[in-house]
Amino acid sequence: MTTLADCRALDAQDPLRALRDQFTIPEGVLYLDGNSLGVMPKAAPARIAEVVTKEWGEGLIRSWNTASWFDLPQRLGDKVARLIGATPGEVVCTDSTSVNLYKVLFAALSQQKDSGRKLVISERSNFPTDLYIAESLCRERGFTLKLIDASELQGPDSVLTEEVAVLMLTHVNYRTGAMHDMKAVTAAAHAVGALTVWDLAHSAGAVPVALNDSNADYAIGCGYKYLNGGPGAPAFAWVHTKHAGEFEQPLSGWWGHAAPFEFTPHYRPAPGVGRYLCGTQPIIALAGLECGLDTVLAAESFNGDHGAMSALRAKSLALTDMFIRLVEERCAGHGLSLVTPREHEQRGSQVCLSREEGAYAIVQALIARGVIGDYRAGDSQMPDILRFGFTPLYIGFEDVWNSVEHLVQVLETAEWKREEFNRKNAVT
Amino acid sequence: MTTLADCRALDAQDPLRALRDQFTIPEGVLYLDGNSLGVMPKAAPARIAEVVTKEWGEGLIRSWNTASWFDLPQRLGDKVARLIGATPGEVVCTDSTSVNLYKVLFAALSQQKDSGRKLVISERSNFPTDLYIAESLCRERGFTLKLIDASELQGPDSVLTEEVAVLMLTHVNYRTGAMHDMKAVTAAAHAVGALTVWDLAHSAGAVPVALNDSNADYAIGCGYKYLNGGPGAPAFAWVHTKHAGEFEQPLSGWWGHAAPFEFTPHYRPAPGVGRYLCGTQPIIALAGLECGLDTVLAAESFNGDHGAMSALRAKSLALTDMFIRLVEERCAGHGLSLVTPREHEQRGSQVCLSREEGAYAIVQALIARGVIGDYRAGDSQMPDILRFGFTPLYIGFEDVWNSVEHLVQVLETAEWKREEFNRKNAVT
């Protein structure tokens, strides 16, 4: 049996332990929800205050030049590039994940519009907003959205056929934590002539991503989860350079113009990913995002030339392995099932458990104890989920022990049943 | 001749004078560029710091509930509504101006898609990003964008015919400060069966706007100019309730879903303008916008039931009248021409001057003196412009005097010629 002492020993040996000091973690909170909203970097309040009082307050309009606001989306994009296997100049930080998905899916569909291909494939369990964006775009542009299970991508009856225009997947599933093999799936899609669109919302800052090595076509991702950019931080978009110069930008705003300060009446897109900028971006929010990006990039110093994500990945897997082991050792007989794959190469940086009843109440009881994970409701095809994210930057092995200890106590006492009772009898 | 003493006397009598105390105006700066980026409200640094350290840092994911993040875009929208002649529930604060324009123009074109009408009319001198968005959308959706001069909207040869699907105008022109009669133009458009899309970037917080009284169809506007929301603050969108329930949202993201927390795989738009939310919004930036909105709404207390803009408008016109008068009295013979209309009902809250040569250098010389206006380059159809915005919340009559005093000195000395020399001989 694993012990608290074992976990403490792992923390003591953890070369990344000091990275945790970059964050302000609230007293009494054990935060396993960095996959929903990352923790605040200690540097963020001062940097944001500087942007507010100095750049806005004192610099005013002059800060477009003196504080280089115009370069910000690409400068931050270059930092994101280091985390997702991209090259500087290939990424911009801008708008929301959903808006960026609209841009890249629009572009991919435009590239396929004369191909005769009519199918867009995605997973039934993909994050809903991705499906909503795809649903509208497919309807408007004459494509059919087909929702599948991940297993249908493989084998002789694979849904990947020459009818497929675009394969749009989230790299790490938000509900299950299951991760696709980006390189293999991209190759399979390309083999039938389909383009790939990857959502990296639960990947960027969480697992190694190799966009160029995978020869992916388009990707977008989120700034406020594992990148710790703050609530609603700008998202990012990436396009493979093989499409540069030809991909479309439906949201053809001034910031993506080839010569934005000429104020010409006709749109001429900037070369490369710069065209994915549209309107004026929230400068203060971008400052928060940069603080978050820097906390992840700080891991680079622990791993020589292999990048931040290589070092972080080893710890992430050790944390999720430990969580799985402790749940199995200590919560047996309580009706929990493991939803997240055991195989390392198929796992993101989270662990999801299911339970036939009480999942919501158990999560609420944990939150009441300061152990913040989250709950995702199931449906006829998917069970209710208890979801626990493990951000290796600030979560340690003793945290894993403590979270399972709380889970054991919630399950062994009537605590979650009281939550369930309160919920069912709530006066609304 | 008007004197400095006259201006001081006007300030002394100004009932709105105290509103200026809401702002931090940098030492040595005379800021006539609030139409580009509004001045920082004194309340903003503390409020933003609170959102960063308390709501993000301590509350973390719990702040969606405890800090009501989900309600923020509509709660702020209700504040904007009070400034643009709309009703609470009709406005959301979200995304950028350009992205919002895409949404509303998309919706208007969708409503007209079976009408046989193929023309979208806008002004040649409209803000370029508006034209870029319209250009792409028209091409994608089978419409033709026709650019006109404002004068072509009137008379027997008016371009408003039964071929027109949408009339898309910026209410106050960004270059000239000329303002359309929204009610009359909307009526003329409706008379031929066209829908109207209004950009209020230079109107919201600058001039009274009466969207519902004008029976307009769609409107969008900017949060960081006269609304003082901070650099790149979220923009806003409004839709007339007559279109509610039927207008389209191409950017069909989770936040605009009728039941966003059910995580259902199919998109079902929220009723009303709520569907114009798409992805997760920058919460910290929205906090800055609220501080800015509150500075404008503070003018409500000076004007009983007539709203903030009625009081502010009287002062704005007095300021721009004074600037025009002083320029004419004191800068005669220096080759300046007035571009902005003299007629009050055709003027926004800015004054633009043109000059055959040296406009850029004169603006640079003024900026070097701390008098911040801006320059907009001309072309074969439009002259170079010196642009001066007068935000009545924080600009006074003595400021107007001083800005003209500086202009006189720049013109009467060789100062601007030195700037011109430096520019022409710059080593780049």
Side-chain angles (χ1 to χ4, degrees), chain A residues 144-364:
Chain A
T144 301
L145 178 62
K146 179 171 177 171
L147 301 183
I148 59 149
D149 293 326
S151 61
E152 296 176 74
L153 291 170
Q154 287 155 355
D157 298 327
S158 168
V159 292
L160 290 176
T161 67
E162 304 217 332
E163 291 176 89
V164 180
V166 175
L167 176 62
M168 179 189 92
L169 294 174
T170 296
H171 182 223
V172 174
N173 188 284
Y174 84 105
R175 280 179 59 89
T176 65
M179 180 166 70
H180 287 286
D181 180 339
M182 182 183 285
K183 192 167 184 172
V185 172
T186 297
H190 286 177
V192 297
L195 293 168
T196 55
V197 170
W198 291 97
D199 180 343
L200 305 178
H202 292 266
S203 308
V207 298
V209 178
L211 286 171
N212 278 318
D213 183 58
S214 299
N215 197 23
D217 297 288
Y218 295 93
I220 53 103
C222 178
Y224 55 79
K225 297 180 188 287
Y226 292 96
L227 299 181
N228 310 311
F236 64 85
W238 169 87
V239 182
H240 195 288
T241 50
K242 68 189 167 193
H243 304 305
E246 56 171 310
F247 66 97
E248 288 205 45
Q249 155 64 309
L251 302 170
S252 46
W254 76 271
W255 206 331
H257 195 280
F261 297 108
E262 284 182 10
F263 290 88
T264 58
H266 296 290
Y267 183 67
R268 202 170 80 244
V273 78
R275 76 182 53 169
Y276 272 162
L277 299 168
C278 175
T280 306
Q281 292 302 302
I283 301 298
I284 301 167
L286 283 166
L289 175 58
E290 183 159 29
C291 294
L293 288 169
D294 288 343
T295 62
V296 189
L297 292 170
E300 285 180 339
S301 61
F302 291 88
N303 210 37
D305 291 337
H306 293 86
M309 291 319 301
S310 172
L312 290 168
R313 174 62 167 170
K315 182 173 173 187
S316 160
L317 285 170
L319 290 168
T320 51
D321 275 346
M322 177 62 80
F323 184 78
I324 292 169
R325 184 182 324 137
L326 286 172
V327 167
E328 293 187 330
E329 287 176 0
R330 309 189 61 209
C331 303
H334 283 291
L336 294 172
S337 303
L338 179 66
V339 175
T340 303
R342 285 176 200 279
E343 298 79 2
H344 283 181
E345 64 277 13
Q346 295 176 33
R347 190 195 303 162
S349 197
Q350 67 182 57
V351 177
C352 297
L353 306 172
S354 68
R355 195 169 190 280
E356 266 190 44
E357 61 165 341
Y360 174 85
I362 293 166
V363 169
Q364 289 307 308

Side-chain angles (χ1 to χ4, degrees), chain B residues 54-167:
Chain B
K54 293 263 171 27
E55 298 187 11
W56 176 17
E58 293 175 23
L60 286 165
I61 196 67
R62 299 169 292 194
S63 290
W64 277 98
N65 295 317
T66 54
S68 302
W69 284 348
F70 191 76
D71 303 328
L72 214 44
Q74 298 221 11
R75 190 162 63 72
L76 269 56
D78 287 351
K79 292 192 174 189
V80 172
R82 284 150 63 183
L83 301 172
I84 59 175
T87 302
E90 292 179 355
V91 181
V92 283
C93 291
T94 184
D95 294 333
S96 68
T97 314
S98 299
V99 168
N100 287 331
L101 182 64
Y102 184 85
K103 296 172 193 168
V104 300
L105 184 56
F106 186 104
L109 295 179
S110 291
Q111 280 184 269
Q112 294 283 32
K113 74 172 185 290
D114 300 323
S115 68
R117 298 162 180 271
K118 289 293 170 203
L119 283 185
V120 173
I121 302 276
S122 194
E123 274 184 275
R124 192 169 291 115
S125 66
N126 199 346
F127 192 59
T129 203
D130 291 32
L131 300 182
Y132 303 157
I133 294 285
E135 193 177 353
S136 299
L137 263 177
C138 285
R139 187 180 57 240
E140 285 297 331
R141 304 188 70 76
F143 290 84
T144 301
L145 178 61
K146 179 172 178 171
L147 302 184
I148 59 148
D149 293 325
S151 60
E152 297 176 73
L153 290 170
Q154 287 155 354
D157 298 325
S158 167
V159 292
L160 290 175
T161 67
E162 304 217 331
E163 291 175 89
V164 180
V166 174
L167 175 63

Side-chain angles (χ1 to χ4, degrees), chain B residues 362-427:
Chain B
I362 293 167
V363 168
Q364 289 306 308
L366 286 169
I367 291 173
R369 287 166 165 264
V371 181
I372 303 181
D374 58 26
Y375 163 80
R376 290 290 179 259
D379 57 25
S380 61
Q381 307 197 347
M382 301 186 291
D384 290 346
I385 293 269
L386 302 85
R387 190 174 75 153
F388 303 99
F390 296 87
T391 303
L393 281 171
Y394 50 76
I395 297 296
F397 294 91
E398 185 171 347
D399 294 327
V400 175
W401 173 273
N402 288 333
S403 63
V404 177
E405 175 64 29
H406 282 290
L407 179 60
V408 169
Q409 290 179 20
V410 165
L411 290 167
E412 289 185 349
T413 67
E415 223 168 298
W416 72 271
K417 291 191 177 164
R418 277 200 307 275
E419 289 280 348
E420 188 80 349
F421 176 86
N422 290 341
R423 183 193 187 200
K424 285 186 176 156
N425 295 283
V427 179

Side-chain angles (χ1 to χ4, degrees), chain B residues 294-311:
Chain B
D294 288 344
T295 62
V296 189
L297 292 170
E300 286 181 338
S301 62
F302 291 88
N303 210 36
D305 293 336
H306 293 87
M309 292 317 304
S310 172

Side-chain angles (χ1 to χ4, degrees), chain B residues 322-338:
Chain B
M322 176 62 78
F323 184 77
I324 292 169
R325 185 183 321 136
L326 286 172
V327 167
E328 293 186 330
E329 286 178 1
R330 308 191 59 212
C331 303
H334 284 289
L336 294 171
S337 302
L338 179 66

Side-chain angles (χ1 to χ4, degrees), chain B residues 24-45:
Chain B
T24 301
I25 299 173
E27 197 67 28
V29 166
L30 214 166
Y31 197 64
L32 305 179
D33 215 3
N35 47 344
S36 209
L37 174 64
V39 165
M40 183 183 74
K42 278 182 188 160

Side-chain angles (χ1 to χ4, degrees), chain A residues 26 33 38 40 52 56-57 102 129 132 135-136 140-141 224 230-232 248 251-254 257 264 267 280-283, chain B residues 26 38 40 52 56-57 102 129 132 135-136 140-141 224 230-232 248 251-254 257 264 267 280-283:
Chain A
D33 215 3
M40 183 183 75
V52 172
W56 176 17
Y102 183 86
T129 201
Y132 303 157
E135 193 178 353
S136 300
E140 285 298 331
R141 303 187 73 74
Y224 55 79
E248 288 205 45
L251 302 170
S252 46
W254 76 271
H257 195 280
T264 58
Y267 183 67
T280 306
Q281 292 302 302
I283 301 298
Chain B
M40 183 183 74
V52 173
W56 176 17
Y102 184 85
T129 203
Y132 303 157
E135 193 177 353
S136 299
E140 285 297 331
R141 304 188 70 76
Y224 56 79
E248 287 205 47
L251 302 170
S252 47
W254 75 271
H257 195 279
T264 58
Y267 183 67
T280 306
Q281 292 304 303
I283 301 297

